[in-house]
């Protein structure tokens, strides 16, 4: 006889959320354009407290935004277990040539040319949630 379970969401600490983010390789860059939310796949690395993101988006679309949002998750279905992390903060293009070359070598891109952008996001808000189940009786 199986024990009934209920799905639940538990908020993580900021430190745990950053740890989960660091262990992931890809996520989604979220921004708005003409009052419409846009989501682009991206790869990332967390170094020295900053998030370096490589996304298939034109850099000029992002320059007028005071902050950007990056979202990562790992959800296992049908169990419904996993986690989700969202980071928001000011972003700037990675402009220094040697640094940009390093990240282009280490972060695989989806597109090249004007739709291949490297960004540095300084996390100001970090939220995370673990998804799981608990036994109900």
């Amino acid at each position: 006889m199986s024990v009934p379970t209920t799905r639940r969401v538990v908020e993580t600490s900021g430190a745990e959320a950053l740890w989960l983010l660091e262990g992931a390789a890809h996520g989604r860059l979220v921004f708005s354009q003409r009052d419409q939310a846009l989501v682009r796949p991206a790869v990332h690395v967390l170094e020295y407290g900053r998030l370096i993101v490589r996304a298939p988006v034109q850099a000029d679309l992002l320059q007028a935004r005071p902050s950007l949002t990056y979202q990562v998750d790992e959800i296992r279905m049908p169990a419904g277990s996993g986690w989700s992390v969202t980071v928001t903060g000011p972003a700037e293009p990675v402009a220094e040539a040697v640094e940009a070359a390093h990240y282009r070598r280490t972060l695989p891109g989806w597109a090249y040319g004007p739709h291949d952008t490297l960004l540095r996001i300084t996390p100001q808000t970090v939220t995370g949630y673990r998804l799981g189940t608990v036994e109900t009786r």
Side-chain angles (χ1 to χ4, degrees), residues 17-28:
L18 287 172
W19 178 77
L20 291 166
L21 174 73
E22 190 172 23
H26 55 84
R28 289 161 286 291

Side-chain angles (χ1 to χ4, degrees), residues 4-76:
T5 59
T6 301
R7 289 185 181 179
R8 63 183 261 173
V9 177
V10 177
E11 190 170 357
T12 67
S13 69
E16 182 179 3
L18 287 172
W19 178 77
L20 291 166
L21 174 73
E22 190 172 23
H26 55 84
R28 289 161 286 291
L29 183 66
V30 182
F31 60 99
S32 62
Q33 180 181 9
R34 293 187 212 108
D35 296 328
Q36 180 180 12
L38 299 176
V39 180
R40 297 291 182 262
V43 292
H44 69 273
V45 64
L46 186 63
E47 289 186 342
Y48 308 110
R50 294 197 174 108
L51 185 62
I52 308 300
V53 175
R54 186 174 183 180
V57 63
Q58 288 181 278
D60 60 344
L61 291 176
L62 305 173
Q63 288 179 347
R65 284 149 185 82
S67 69
L68 292 175
T69 298
Y70 191 70
Q71 194 275 330
V72 179
D73 58 44
E74 181 181 299
I75 300 172
R76 294 172 290 283

